[in-house]
Amino acid sequence: MAMSMRASIIHKTASDLRVRPNLADYEAERARFSWEATGAELGLRARGWVNIAHLAVDRHLGTPVEDRVAFRFIARDGRRRDVSYQALAQASNRFANVLRNLGVGRGERVFLLASRIPELYIAALGALKNGSVVAPLFPAFGPEPLRTRLALGEAKVLVTTESLYRRKVAGILGELPTLAHVLLVGDDGGSTAVSGTHDLATLMQRSDVRFDVERTGADDMALLHFTSGTTGTPKGAVHVHGAAVAHYATARYALDLHADDVFWCTADPGWVTGTSYGIVAPLLHGVTSIVDEADFDAERWYALLEEQRVSVWYTAPTAVRMLMKGGAALAQTHRLPALRFVASVGEPLNPEAVWWGEEALGLPIHDNWWQTETGGIMIANTPAMDIKPGSMGKPLPGIDAFVVARRDDGTYEDVGKPGVQGELALRVGWPSMFRGYLNQDERYRKCFSGDLYLTGDLVERDADGYFWFVGRADDVIKSAGHLIGPFEVESALIEHPAVAEAGVIGKPDPVVGETVKAFVSLKAGFVESEDLRMQLLAHARRRLGAAVAPKEIAFLAALPRTRSGKIMRRLLKAREMGLPEGDTSTLEAGA
Ligand code: ATP
Ligand code: MG
């Protein structure tokens, strides 16, 4: 890792912040913390059962939170609909009754396929209340990715909209023998009549607003999430009701949620971030969430941050890079006095993006790390700690993280000292850890060694305990005896004013093993040329040294990305080598 990347630190202390941070003293809180006590705060010990939707919604009834807005839904056309905690409790009860009346019970799979409309959120919470398992699907999937996921997850119920049903589902129904009920929302949000389906609005009206929440156990299956498919075919990760304790604790520490916050998580519930932190965590904290139905648009996003007075914002590096493309000046035309904390997840956050936050938003962006498998944030830059741009921060209270190397006998050992690359491993025992990959038991077992969960990501820890992402184990480049992480090379390229995005791969080479090749897309106003290529090569050599800098740079109009916004390096590599592209079900359209 280039030393210059570590030289700059953004110093922060609790007293500099406008709001007292939930995690003011890192060491003291780690020492004090236990999952058991955090669960007890949510009443788990007293109650003896745990249901995510009960904790998130019904637990607030009879408290001042019940009248607060839980979700402010903003439709594509800008229309707003506020749903209070009280109203959400009733609507989700109705949906739970809809399922119960259809004979859908505990453990049965309810899939959700819709844009970010109120019914999606109500159905998710209602299905959880009923003890059914919720599986959100990304609405831009085509029929084939939908078919494989619905079949793998043994869908019993599908909630979707009329047009999504007609375009994507009707044609694959014959291949889904377990699917017993399709519940439709009209395209205007109202009723619809399509043969072979149920009209959700009618069923909701007919069902009772009272419902006795299923008394599920901490280890009962609650959610099914498919991974992003960045490294291969997406896996179905199983999560349990007890995970709510981790959603609660991690949102307290890493997102610093306070009761009066207006929170905006930009992720779609089709990805784990959009469920763990777009639905569950903010409700557990009783805050108001903004839900925007529309896709990314720089001007719309700045306007939303301003008008909705968002105080805590959780987004992704790809979105930040798109905002950067538009320049800091655009951001500065908006006044964001309410905004006090910005966090990002999903990919490594380039140091340049952290600094851009300071310049454009007046706040640095706080990177954090987790995976579909971990169910919640594990490593984070929290409000009161110094930020080292390019680092993903430190393990949260309750999380023990290690850098390990594989021994010859197949077991793992701690690399022992700072500054050594190895695989990131976590000590098992946090409540939101996945409990299986659907139909892939062997693969699940291989993720563990003793009491360690092996993440598949390569990292380094520095002497201050900060973790630095090097690359996915599959993406790391071995060149002339060096191990090169693509992230470091990409971050150096992004520092160049012409570069919007960069993706770096290892290209097989008979002499040195692999050589580094970079693909870059340019910011508006720059055109590709031989001269620019030379400039970029020289810039990279200056920043990284000849051993690590790319030997080749190619220009692309856009990099291939997953629909959750991650650069698909395996696709860059397959294309480079003329190999089959493999599973592209999560590839963004046009990439
Ligand atoms: P698949 O497992 O199907 O290949 P995926 O790993 O991209 O897809 P997710 O679970 O959505 O699916 O993503 C988790 C991964 O994303 C992490 O393992 C890591 O590689 C990357 N990631 C997430 N956050 C960060 C971060 N802050 N810094 C670096 N990498 C991150
Ligand atoms: Mg993964």
Side-chain angles (χ1 to χ4, degrees):
M1 188 101 19
M3 290 312 290
S4 57
M5 247 155 83
R6 292 183 179 179
S8 46
I9 294 186
I10 300 174
H11 290 287
K12 294 200 291 165
T13 62
S15 57
D16 297 337
L17 303 168
R18 232 186 303 157
V19 173
R20 189 185 146 73
N22 295 327
L23 183 51
D25 183 337
Y26 179 80
E27 294 302 337
E29 195 73 10
R30 274 185 75 82
R32 191 202 56 79
F33 183 89
S34 84
W35 290 113
E36 178 67 27
T38 309
E41 261 180 66
L42 290 169
L44 262 60
R45 199 183 292 152
R47 224 174 279 119
W49 54 276
V50 49
N51 182 295
I52 293 179
H54 166 262
L55 292 180
V57 185
D58 292 5
R59 182 174 57 97
H60 299 300
L61 298 179
T63 77
V65 176
E66 70 176 6
D67 295 322
R68 219 176 265 163
V69 174
F71 289 117
R72 168 163 292 174
F73 294 102
I74 300 174
R76 284 211 171 86
D77 63 8
R79 257 182 306 169
R80 264 169 44 181
R81 179 171 154 199
D82 286 354
V83 178
S84 70
Y85 276 84
Q86 173 99 55
L88 189 60
Q90 293 184 352
S92 53
N93 278 352
R94 282 190 196 271
F95 186 82
N97 277 315
V98 166
L99 292 180
R100 193 173 276 177
N101 295 340
L102 290 171
V104 178
R106 249 166 110 144
E108 295 191 297
R109 316 288 168 74
V110 176
F111 277 66
L112 309 175
L113 175 71
S115 58
R116 291 177 290 279
I117 55 175
E119 289 75 8
L120 177 73
Y121 294 75
I122 290 164
L125 293 161
L128 289 167
K129 283 187 173 178
N130 190 46
S132 305
V133 175
V134 174
L137 293 165
F138 189 64
F141 281 150
E144 182 51 27
L146 290 176
R147 189 194 63 73
T148 52
R149 286 162 179 77
L150 288 160
L152 183 64
E154 296 172 34
K156 170 107 182 222
V157 176
L158 174 66
V159 181
T160 188
T161 64
E162 180 175 348
S163 59
L164 284 170
Y165 175 77
R166 289 190 193 281
R167 280 193 287 132
K168 303 182 175 190
V169 182
I172 56 171
L173 275 184
E175 298 164 77
L176 299 168
T178 64
L179 188 61
H181 304 285
V182 176
L183 310 183
L184 285 195
V185 181
D187 289 328
D188 58 358
S191 283
T192 149
V194 178
S195 78
T197 71
H198 302 274
D199 174 37
L200 181 59
T202 306
L203 295 184
M204 290 283 280
Q205 272 158 22
R206 285 191 195 143
S207 55
D208 202 330
V209 294
R210 285 160 308 176
F211 185 82
D212 281 330
V213 173
E214 278 292 325
R215 302 188 163 201
T216 37
D219 292 322
D220 285 345
M221 200 196 280
L223 288 152
L224 197 53
H225 269 295
F226 293 90
T227 60
S228 293
T230 315
T231 56
T233 302
K235 298 147 276 189
V238 172
H239 288 283
V240 296
H241 279 277
V245 178
H247 298 145
Y248 177 72
T250 54
R252 174 163 70 190
Y253 295 132
L255 302 176
D256 199 40
L257 291 184
H258 286 62
D260 55 354
D261 274 318
V262 176
F263 175 63
W264 183 19
C265 169
T266 62
D268 187 89
W271 312 113
V272 70
T273 308
T275 301
S276 293
Y277 297 98
I279 305 180
V280 179
L283 295 178
L284 289 170
H285 284 273
V287 306
T288 296
S289 280
I290 303 298
V291 178
D292 184 21
E293 189 193 2
D295 292 328
F296 175 86
D297 175 82
E299 184 50 46
R300 180 178 173 109
W301 278 31
Y302 287 129
L304 269 179
L305 287 170
E306 181 172 20
E307 286 160 19
Q308 299 303 326
R309 301 186 54 78
V310 172
S311 56
V312 177
W313 193 34
Y314 195 22
T315 190
T318 179
V320 175
R321 287 193 300 260
M322 285 196 276
L323 292 175
M324 288 167 74
K325 239 178 164 172
L330 181 60
Q332 287 156 353
T333 60
H334 293 270
R335 302 236 332 108
L336 308 174
L339 192 64
R340 67 173 181 86
F341 188 71
V342 183
S344 153
V345 72
E347 276 196 301
L349 185 68
N350 313 97
E352 203 59 21
V354 178
W355 291 112
W356 177 86
E358 285 264 54
E359 189 196 341
L361 308 171
L363 296 166
I365 299 174
H366 296 73
D367 186 22
N368 59 54
W369 177 96
W370 59 291
Q371 312 174 303
T372 308
E373 290 86 343
T374 70
I377 303 169
M378 300 282 108
I379 297 179
N381 288 284
T382 53
M385 78 191 221
D386 292 347
I387 297 181
K388 302 187 186 189
S391 159
M392 56 206 203
K394 299 203 275 191
L396 290 178
I399 304 301
D400 293 318
F402 307 90
V403 185
V404 299
R406 199 181 148 94
R407 295 195 193 98
D408 290 339
D409 66 359
T411 59
Y412 289 79
E413 64 186 342
D414 199 304
V415 297
K417 52 180 189 293
V420 179
Q421 285 179 12
E423 185 166 356
L424 174 61
L426 305 167
R427 196 197 308 282
V428 300
W430 73 95
S432 63
M433 191 184 81
F434 74 136
R435 305 303 162 90
Y437 283 133
L438 273 189
N439 288 0
Q440 297 192 75
D441 292 342
E442 181 57 23
R443 184 158 192 179
Y444 177 69
R445 271 195 299 276
K446 278 194 180 143
C447 296
F448 299 90
S449 172
D451 67 350
L452 292 180
Y453 162 64
L454 301 154
T455 65
D457 284 345
L458 291 186
V459 298
E460 227 178 277
R461 181 174 40 199
D462 70 17
D464 300 323
Y466 283 70
F467 282 73
W468 297 76
F469 184 79
V470 174
R472 292 167 185 263
D474 300 354
D475 288 337
V476 169
I477 302 162
K478 297 174 194 76
S479 183
H482 295 274
L483 275 183
I484 300 170
F487 172 51
E488 182 184 11
V489 181
E490 291 160 9
S491 288
L493 286 166
I494 278 201
E495 286 171 12
H496 192 281
V499 177
E501 283 200 295
V504 166
I505 62 163
K507 201 174 150 179
D509 179 276
V511 180
V512 294
E514 288 181 303
T515 59
V516 179
K517 174 157 186 179
F519 297 85
V520 300
S521 69
L522 298 178
K523 287 190 182 149
F526 291 90
V527 274
E528 56 177 271
S529 70
E530 206 40 44
D531 185 47
L532 182 57
R533 190 198 316 277
M534 289 306 166
Q535 273 182 44
L536 293 180
L537 286 167
H539 163 82
R541 248 194 326 273
R542 213 164 37 244
R543 287 288 288 107
L544 299 163
V548 174
K551 300 278 174 297
E552 268 182 83
I553 293 182
F555 295 105
L556 290 179
L559 297 179
R561 270 193 299 227
T562 65
R563 292 186 183 277
S564 54
K566 298 164 194 258
I567 297 170
M568 286 173 100
R569 296 178 192 80
R570 71 173 161 96
L571 223 63
L572 289 171
K573 189 157 178 168
R575 288 173 183 175
E576 176 71 24
M577 296 169 65
L579 294 172
E581 296 196 345
D583 189 306
T584 54
S585 61
T586 62
L587 179 65
E588 203 175 51

